[in-house]
Amino acid sequence: MNGVHDMGGMQCMGQILHEQNEPVFHERWEGRMEALYRAMGAWHKWNIDSARYERCLIPPAEYLGNSYYQNSFLQVRSLLVKRGLVTPEEIESSVPAQGFCEAFARPEAGWRAAFGLWWYCRGAEGGYRRQFQGGTAGACA
Amino acid sequence: MNSEDDLMATNRRDFLAAAVTTVGAALTPGHADHAHDHDHQAVPSDPTLRVKALESLLVEKGLVDPAALDALVDAFEHKLGPRNGGRVVARAWVDPEFKKRMLADAGSAIAELGFLPHQGERIVALENTPKIHNLIVCTLCSCYPWPLLGLPPRWYKSPSYRSRAVIDPRGVLLEFGIDLPPDAEVQVWDSTAEVRYIVLPERPGGTEKLSEEELAALVTRDAMVGVAKISLPHKKGVA
């Protein structure tokens, strides 16, 4: 896929701003955003390629005008809706839909778990997990 | 695709509207129009509100545990990072056999030190010499050798670095303070999701007596990206 993200060799993108002693995150929300993205990956609803693809769908003017983590926000929000983990209405209102199925994500052991290696949701045999796999998150059957 | 774009645009507007409302509510009545000499630190920025709203929705749905987010942020800030890469580089400097393994198959070599790939990526080590200078970039986004360097710095992800590193690497290096002799070759490596690179910088002279640990402390993130050389902090007394 070509697009504005494919920047190698483009010109006039300005000066490189090399910052001394740069913090890992410049603002608290950036860290929360990155963590949300990684943690939600644990549901295995996307892989690195499909997630990247979603980022490349951000309209060029917006992509260029946004900071890296602002684009992450748009990317993740779009992934969540398209994969059925949240509904557009829930995104709009920021509250779960009436009668939604509650999932149970929890880390097994420390930070490594949060990379999605050892996560599970409760009720894998017959409950919540099937709801999410069926792409019907947000409403109990 | 169109309907999804519309959806995104609608939601974005609504989020902004909600954010504006929330900011409005956060202001004390009458406060906005008084003459004042202090910052409104208490009013959160728009992205802060939007990310917070998304987080709370996911938490309420049981899709994410806030403690896991805390653990992740802590890992990004304190556990991952260039000090891991520094250990690997120092080991390669003091142990020629390890260096050979590192250059042949970096993934297996770094696993000896306990560093594993995070996203199934392959890691390739590139050795800088007086004649060859390696520089890494991800022109498409932000791919980077996570297990060894942590999250990439902002400039690495910026359009200016991504665009220029491949068309004007010498100019970029000069901006970072590296003036390469004309007979030195620059090799630029464009990272992908599958293959990530790390530069094995040249060991500076005068470090023969340093321990592996002391050497590791000299290695900088920028040197492992290829935009810096490693120098001794205090040349006096070491050489």
Side-chain angles (χ1 to χ4, degrees):
Chain A
M1 164 177 193
N2 63 26
V4 72
H5 65 279
D6 192 355
M7 290 183 168
M10 282 185 185
Q11 294 177 312
C12 303
M13 287 291 181
Q15 212 188 343
I16 299 165
L17 299 172
H18 186 227
E19 200 177 332
Q20 294 298 330
N21 302 317
E22 177 175 344
V24 175
F25 300 112
H26 291 76
E27 293 185 54
R28 187 178 181 275
W29 70 267
E30 296 181 342
R32 297 311 276 183
M33 191 59 242
E34 183 66 24
L36 270 180
Y37 175 33
R38 300 296 160 189
M40 290 308 294
W43 291 99
H44 299 294
K45 286 291 186 182
W46 54 76
N47 62 22
I48 187 168
D49 299 314
S50 55
R52 257 269 314 283
Y53 175 72
E54 207 58 45
R55 199 178 178 91
C56 298
L57 291 179
I58 298 170
E62 216 172 338
Y63 182 95
L64 286 174
N66 281 341
S67 72
Y68 181 82
Y69 290 112
Q70 282 173 328
N71 279 333
S72 301
F73 175 83
L74 295 180
Q75 171 195 17
V76 170
R77 199 179 64 183
S78 185
L79 281 168
L80 292 170
V81 172
K82 285 185 182 173
R83 301 298 193 279
L85 288 168
V86 299
T87 66
E89 293 73 28
E90 288 174 322
I91 288 280
E92 211 167 314
S93 64
S94 301
V95 290
Q98 286 236 317
F100 75 98
C101 273
E102 193 178 356
F104 289 86
R106 65 184 189 84
E108 282 292 290
W111 64 271
R112 282 179 190 277
F115 285 100
L117 299 176
W118 297 288
W119 282 47
Y120 68 102
C121 51
R122 198 172 76 180
E125 302 80 19
Y128 308 109
R129 189 169 173 187
R130 198 164 61 216
Q131 288 290 332
F132 288 106
Q133 282 180 340
T136 55
C140 280
Chain B
M1 163 120 182
N2 280 338
S3 63
E4 274 157 3
D5 281 351
D6 290 348
L7 176 73
M8 191 183 252
T10 307
N11 289 334
R12 186 170 157 73
R13 262 198 311 279
D14 290 352
F15 254 91
L16 288 170
V20 168
T21 311
T22 314
V23 170
L27 287 167
T28 317
H31 190 101
D33 57 4
H34 76 225
H36 52 274
D37 52 7
H38 58 267
D39 292 333
H40 283 277
Q41 292 284 343
V43 181
S45 67
D46 170 46
T48 298
L49 292 172
R50 299 167 85 192
V51 173
K52 198 173 263 184
L54 186 61
E55 178 182 332
S56 75
L57 172 64
L58 297 174
V59 169
E60 273 192 68
K61 291 197 76 175
L63 287 166
V64 80
D65 181 340
L69 300 181
D70 295 341
L72 272 164
V73 172
D74 180 60
F76 288 131
E77 288 183 332
H78 304 115
K79 297 193 174 71
L80 302 168
R83 70 178 75 78
N84 295 349
R87 280 185 55 201
V88 170
V89 169
R91 175 64 57 87
W93 283 346
V94 300
D95 180 346
E97 286 306 312
F98 178 82
K99 182 173 156 184
K100 253 187 228 168
R101 292 198 294 279
M102 178 84 185
L103 294 172
D105 177 5
S108 307
I110 66 168
E112 293 174 29
L113 299 183
F115 304 124
L116 300 171
H118 288 181
Q119 301 168 311
E121 72 276 8
R122 194 175 142 235
I123 293 187
V124 173
L126 311 160
E127 185 182 17
N128 273 0
T129 69
K131 292 288 170 206
I132 295 179
H133 187 92
N134 295 285
L135 178 69
I136 65 174
V137 63
C138 176
T139 60
L140 292 177
C141 187
S142 56
C143 281
Y144 195 67
W146 269 39
L148 300 178
L149 298 190
L151 290 179
R154 188 152 64 179
W155 60 260
Y156 183 86
K157 301 176 285 192
S158 70
S160 43
Y161 182 74
R162 285 159 57 189
S163 59
R164 273 185 63 206
V166 290
I167 197 174
D168 179 24
R170 280 179 195 270
V172 167
L173 288 171
L174 206 53
E175 261 177 54
F176 277 90
I178 299 185
D179 191 2
L180 286 178
D183 64 334
E185 186 186 332
V186 183
Q187 296 188 351
V188 183
W189 302 79
D190 196 356
S191 315
T192 66
E194 287 80 25
V195 186
R196 318 287 176 95
Y197 302 96
I198 182 167
V199 174
L200 190 53
E202 288 174 83
R203 178 173 176 170
T207 57
E208 293 74 18
K209 289 178 183 161
L210 295 187
S211 69
E212 189 176 331
E213 206 173 311
E214 288 167 323
L215 287 170
L218 291 180
V219 183
T220 63
R221 175 197 66 202
D222 287 2
M224 292 181 279
V225 177
V227 296
K229 289 188 179 256
I230 294 173
S231 53
L232 295 173
H234 305 291
K235 279 195 172 167
K236 274 184 207 167
V238 180

